[in-house]
Amino acid sequence: MEPSNDTGVCIAHVFRGTFAHSTPDAPLEILENKVLGVDNDGKIAFIENGEDVDSLSDKWGFKPSVVRQLEPHEFIMPGLVDTHIHASQYSYSGTALDLPLLQWLATYTFPVESKYKDLSFAGKVYNKVVKRTLRNGTTTACYFATIHTDASLLLGQIADRLGQRALVGKVCMDCNNAVAHYKETTEESSEETRRFIQELLKKKYPLVRPIVTPRFALSCSSALLHDLGDIARNNDLHIQSHISENKEECQVVKELFPECKTYTDVYRKHNLLTDKTVMAHGCYLSNEELQVFREAGASISHCPNSNISICSGLLDVRNVLNHKVKIGLGTDVAGGYSPSILDAVRRALDTSKALTIQDPEHQTLSFEEVFRLATLGGSQALSLDAETGNFEVGKDFDALLVNVCAPDGPMDICGPEPIKVLLEKFLNLGDDRNIKEVFVAGRKVVPFADTA
Ligand code: GUN
Ligand code: ZN
């Protein structure tokens, strides 16, 4: 389609109504009676006052009849960002929450993950998890797959087909005393990581990228960690892992890496702590370690459902924010039982309140701050904030059209309410019934196409 105006840009969607998003300066900014245009490349072309729709239509060459007017009980917000989710653990989410981390991995996780050698099993679960997370408003997901390269590539293919923005990690592990058959040799793990990256990049999926994924320090030899640090550096790639989730884990890391001062030092020494690194949990990081994170530009994925469900710990997000370390929310399925970032929002607020109960001086997080963690914060944590996270002109349009009065929905609105109240209600009480449409880079991905 040729642009019918002199901006040289074709407008694909125009919405008029209320928008809610975060900025680096404001955890919640409400934009009322605005008109937002999305171009053919899925980027936000303009956000202007609603009254100016006629002059905007002249300038950008769209017909006023294409403008989609939102209802008073509808608003548009940025898509949710899940900074840490194990796609391969989705099959048993909602179960198996009765053991602490290391026993949980040995008893439930490794036996299930070893089944992903079977591509047909992998395809079934990966289709379900990508659809479920999209339906719940996750426009960007940072996935752990398993050690199996081909199944991990399949996850990338499915995310691309269904239209989710994703970082996909083939898991690396050359140590496993618990389930001996679920591991690789050091050479296999490095070689297969190289193959995974090469093959995934070759597909040229516009929204799906590889992420280097050492499972955690306990699963990897120093030699493998070194190789992975080199691979990430030589290819300028994202990195993800776990850190300081559980006290027993921290103790074993200390014993296995006596030459490293701290858990953070283990990753730092292997060139795995960069400004494209996201580490899940971090419940037991010291202030000195947070300072190292800040200096490296590395970020934390806060996974409150998992932290509580497998009794790992309570992350003090306020302290992380005070150290100016980037932080977003993660579901950590299946250590966390819910695939929804709305659940992570609630558990993050609960965790902050539990810390306030323990210490009344603790400054509880506000819902606006947690809204930012779920959107802009997540995109910053994944170093994707140049592309997504809020409604800035030039960023991709990753968005949810929320209807707080969805038929048969989970909540009631008892009279006219300000939009801030509607957002708070949605965050605390809403679910996928309230998420009428989901857009990723301007493409409507929910409701699903008939072919999905
Ligand atoms: N640490 C290492 N592997 C895992 C995992 O699969 N889940 C969680 N929650 N922590 C881990
Ligand atoms: Zn995890």
Side-chain angles (χ1 to χ4, degrees):
M1 194 170 36
E2 285 299 309
S4 56
N5 61 86
D6 39 59
T7 61
V9 172
C10 253
I11 296 299
H13 308 279
V14 185
F15 300 93
R16 182 175 178 182
T18 303
F19 300 81
H21 75 158
S22 304
T23 70
D25 296 331
L28 174 59
E29 183 174 70
I30 292 171
L31 306 164
E32 286 187 279
N33 189 22
K34 295 283 174 189
V35 56
L36 181 150
V38 181
D39 71 21
N40 251 1
D41 293 330
K43 296 198 185 303
I44 299 168
F46 59 83
I47 312 170
E48 304 283 355
N49 289 327
E51 294 81 29
D52 298 338
V53 79
D54 289 334
S55 61
L56 288 164
S57 125
D58 285 346
K59 174 175 173 189
W60 294 91
F62 61 84
K63 292 202 190 89
S65 60
V66 306
V67 177
R68 169 108 178 253
Q69 176 67 51
L70 304 184
E71 300 292 331
H73 50 271
E74 293 178 336
F75 62 87
I76 289 182
M77 59 171 274
L80 298 166
V81 180
D82 189 340
T83 59
H84 184 82
I85 171 167
H86 297 261
S88 51
Q89 295 171 16
Y90 181 62
S91 63
Y92 68 98
S93 59
T95 71
L97 300 166
D98 57 341
L99 292 174
L101 178 65
L102 300 184
Q103 295 74 9
W104 176 85
L105 286 170
T107 309
Y108 305 117
T109 307
F110 296 148
V112 169
E113 287 193 16
S114 67
K115 296 202 290 187
Y116 284 72
K117 203 173 143 65
D118 173 356
L119 281 178
S120 115
F121 175 70
K124 275 188 203 141
V125 181
Y126 288 161
N127 255 297
K128 286 188 197 299
V129 68
V130 174
K131 282 182 147 184
R132 179 64 62 191
T133 53
L134 275 174
R135 196 183 285 138
N136 279 285
T138 299
T139 51
T140 301
C142 186
Y143 286 117
F144 272 60
T146 61
I147 64 172
H148 312 96
T149 304
D150 293 326
S152 307
L153 288 167
L154 183 58
L155 174 58
Q157 185 191 327
I158 291 167
D160 172 69
R161 182 171 54 79
L162 293 169
Q164 191 171 51
R165 188 185 301 279
L167 294 170
V168 177
K170 172 230 165 301
V171 173
C172 296
M173 45 196 289
D174 63 348
C175 307
N176 191 347
N177 295 330
V179 176
H181 68 273
Y182 187 54
K183 70 174 172 197
E184 316 154 278
T185 65
T186 311
E187 295 69 30
E188 257 169 3
S189 193
S190 305
E191 270 314 301
E192 285 296 294
T193 295
R194 284 196 194 87
R195 180 166 82 84
F196 172 71
I197 293 161
Q198 224 173 42
E199 301 260 322
L200 190 62
L201 291 176
K202 218 165 59 195
K203 304 282 184 193
K204 297 203 184 308
Y205 299 138
L207 302 174
V208 178
R209 299 186 211 169
I211 178 166
V212 174
T213 305
R215 177 167 215 122
F216 68 156
L218 292 190
S219 297
C220 299
S221 65
S222 181
L224 178 56
L225 292 174
H226 267 302
D227 280 358
L228 297 177
D230 286 350
I231 291 172
R233 187 164 50 187
N234 295 338
N235 299 279
D236 188 25
L237 291 174
H238 284 82
I239 298 166
Q240 64 178 347
S241 193
H242 298 87
I243 196 166
S244 291
E245 175 176 0
N246 152 301
K247 285 186 180 165
E248 186 186 6
E249 168 210 9
C250 293
Q251 186 52 42
V252 184
V253 169
K254 238 189 207 167
E255 289 159 16
L256 280 180
F257 294 88
E259 70 287 2
C260 295
K261 223 172 54 209
T262 62
Y263 199 157
T264 301
D265 225 29
V266 175
Y267 293 125
R268 191 188 59 77
K269 282 200 166 144
H270 293 91
N271 297 321
L272 289 163
L273 205 72
T274 74
D275 60 0
K276 287 170 115 178
T277 296
V278 57
M279 288 285 168
H281 304 286
C283 302
Y284 299 102
L285 292 173
S286 66
N287 288 341
E288 290 71 31
E289 288 177 282
L290 287 174
Q291 184 58 33
V292 175
F293 264 69
R294 157 99 174 132
E295 282 157 17
S299 62
I300 291 175
S301 170
H302 177 37
C303 303
N305 188 317
S306 172
N307 289 344
I308 296 164
S309 291
I310 55 172
C311 297
S312 297
L314 301 175
L315 175 66
D316 185 345
V317 172
R318 176 66 62 203
N319 191 42
V320 175
L321 291 172
N322 286 343
H323 282 80
K324 302 206 179 316
V325 172
K326 296 184 289 180
I327 180 165
L329 298 182
T331 57
D332 194 27
V333 163
Y337 58 76
S338 170
S340 168
I341 285 292
L342 285 175
D343 169 88
V345 164
R346 293 162 201 169
R347 303 286 87 82
L349 285 163
D350 290 350
T351 297
S352 182
K353 286 170 185 172
L355 291 170
T356 302
I357 293 167
Q358 288 175 358
D359 170 13
E361 298 281 293
H362 178 261
Q363 199 191 342
T364 316
L365 296 174
S366 65
F367 85 84
E368 293 95 332
E369 287 178 301
V370 180
F371 171 69
R372 177 159 63 186
L373 294 183
T375 55
L376 182 63
S379 73
Q380 291 168 333
L382 299 180
S383 295
L384 294 174
D385 51 313
E387 285 129 88
T388 186
N390 64 0
F391 299 134
E392 259 180 48
V393 169
K395 285 195 184 184
D396 287 0
F397 184 65
D398 288 5
L400 314 184
L401 198 165
V402 176
N403 173 8
V404 292
C405 295
D408 298 321
M411 64 204 201
D412 293 300
I413 306 295
C414 303
E417 298 280 13
I419 201 75
K420 184 167 157 174
V421 171
L422 299 183
L423 174 67
E424 187 177 8
K425 274 199 170 248
F426 170 63
L427 293 177
N428 280 316
L429 297 168
D431 65 24
D432 57 343
R433 287 167 289 185
N434 302 108
I435 303 177
K436 196 168 162 184
E437 293 172 25
V438 178
F439 295 85
V440 182
R443 167 179 168 198
K444 194 197 285 188
V445 296
V446 173
F448 301 124
D450 291 341
T451 49

